[in-house]
Amino acid sequence: MPVAALVGLAIGIAALIVVVAATRGGNSQPAETVVPEVPEPQLELLRIVFPEGFTIEEMAERVTAVNGIAKEHRGITPSLSASAYRQVAQNTSLIPEGFLATYENPPTLEGFLFPATYQFTEETTTRELIEQQIAQFERTWAQLDLSFAERQALTAYDVLIIASMIEEEVREPRERELAAAVIYNRLNAGMTLGIDSTVRYGLGIPATESLRRSQLQSDNPYNTRKLLGLPPTPISNPGLESMRAAAQPADKPFLFYARRKDCQTHFFTESEAKFLAFLDGPNSFRQGPNRCA
């Protein structure tokens, strides 16, 4: 056998001895074993949509509806639950900084649960979903210029309350700033706000039902027909445009507005006489097909 072949054979035998020795506890270090990483199966992403103007209760009901869809159409049982949503929404420790003045004590997260589309998996907890909403609220709120409201001696929480009323009252986007002007002007004039959506919220009356005279005369703290000032809390969870309108209302002298018979747009005026005349006229919501119930 050629010398080169003998040398190669000797080297090969030596290498084999090292490997055998290593596997038998010899002094040589064994080669590192590389186990191929097997990726964990990805959990399916689901979506939940919270429209602008939803209340805590409506969001909890949406959780129930989405859970039902996930079970029926995807075979997935989410960890979210409506009861847990209602419970976590009472946790005021989650309220963002800057909304807890010494004379204010928001009792729930109403107003802070930003309406948007959120992704979650079957393992997402209800608290994690609400924390996503609050984080989005904080990012959105940071876009606002509150200087005008501050000059009117209004707090950030006051602005949020106004935004929630605008969200409930206005359907036409261009009217948001006008409705905000009415609220600011009536506050400055020492007038009651006269906003029926606050009465509905306080008494739990849906928009599909007409308000009775006794309800409009109740002592409920959300009755802005009777009580001066803002209601004690937001009455919905507003979107960005309503927040902007609440922070920067239109520079208009309007003190009154009433819904037109299209049930979408409003008539605005600074005159009570013109307001009353509109209500009795042909373009008032009173002449609409469903009386805008």
Side-chain angles (χ1 to χ4, degrees):
M1 180 179 294
V3 174
L6 290 172
V7 172
L9 179 62
I11 292 174
I13 293 173
L16 179 61
I17 292 172
V18 169
V19 172
V20 171
T23 59
R24 293 180 179 177
N27 293 329
S28 300
Q29 295 298 319
E32 181 180 354
T33 303
V34 178
V35 178
E37 194 172 306
V38 179
E40 296 183 2
Q42 294 294 316
L43 294 174
E44 184 173 353
L45 285 177
L46 305 169
R47 294 194 309 165
I48 185 166
V49 180
F50 294 125
E52 296 173 345
F54 260 31
T55 63
I56 289 172
E57 181 57 32
E58 288 170 323
M59 289 179 173
E61 291 171 359
R62 177 58 58 90
V63 167
T64 297
V66 168
N67 280 355
I69 293 171
K71 292 176 184 178
E72 181 178 354
H73 297 285
R74 304 285 187 87
I76 295 173
T77 302
S79 297
L80 304 179
S81 79
S83 60
Y85 195 95
R86 295 184 184 98
Q87 181 178 4
V88 177
Q90 307 303 311
N91 187 349
T92 55
S93 69
L94 298 176
I95 292 174
E97 293 183 9
F99 288 89
L100 295 172
T102 55
Y103 54 90
E104 292 174 331
N105 186 25
T108 71
L109 297 180
E110 194 80 276
F112 299 102
L113 301 172
F114 193 77
T117 300
Y118 295 92
Q119 291 185 329
F120 68 100
T121 72
E122 61 186 297
E123 295 182 355
T124 301
T125 67
T126 304
R127 183 184 175 109
E128 288 170 341
L129 174 62
I130 284 181
E131 287 175 344
Q132 287 185 57
Q133 290 184 264
I134 294 174
Q136 186 57 47
F137 171 88
E138 293 182 288
R139 288 189 290 269
T140 304
W141 191 262
Q143 302 176 40
L144 303 183
D145 178 1
L146 299 179
S147 58
F148 180 84
E150 291 168 354
R151 291 196 297 272
Q152 304 296 311
L154 295 179
T155 67
Y157 195 54
D158 291 334
V159 175
L160 182 59
I161 292 172
I162 293 172
S164 75
M165 292 190 289
I166 294 170
E167 195 67 70
E168 289 300 290
E169 288 287 295
V170 177
R171 296 292 176 267
E172 178 64 36
R174 61 185 176 82
E175 292 185 351
R176 290 190 178 104
E177 293 181 356
L178 300 179
V182 172
I183 294 172
Y184 273 81
N185 292 339
R186 291 178 77 96
L187 288 173
N188 291 333
M191 302 171 65
T192 58
L193 297 181
I195 294 179
D196 289 349
S197 58
T198 65
V199 181
R200 293 183 182 280
Y201 181 85
L203 297 177
I205 301 169
T208 53
E209 295 181 14
S210 298
L211 290 169
R212 299 192 299 270
R213 187 181 301 275
S214 61
Q215 293 166 335
L216 295 175
Q217 294 174 346
S218 71
D219 291 326
N220 187 280
Y222 290 86
N223 187 355
T224 57
R225 285 262 194 138
K226 186 175 181 178
L227 304 176
L228 289 172
L230 296 170
T233 72
I235 62 170
S236 70
N237 291 277
L240 174 58
E241 295 308 314
S242 291
M243 291 178 180
R244 282 177 172 159
Q248 296 286 328
D251 184 13
K252 299 290 184 181
F254 300 145
L255 290 169
F256 304 90
Y257 66 86
R259 190 163 291 175
R260 299 180 186 274
K261 68 178 181 181
D262 64 5
C263 294
Q264 296 294 320
T265 60
H266 292 85
F267 168 78
F268 292 86
T269 180
E270 67 275 20
S271 166
E272 184 176 12
K274 291 181 180 179
F275 168 71
L276 295 175
F278 175 83
L279 288 180
D280 292 331
N283 295 316
S284 168
F285 69 92
R286 295 176 178 177
Q287 307 301 323
N290 300 312
R291 296 177 60 85
C292 299

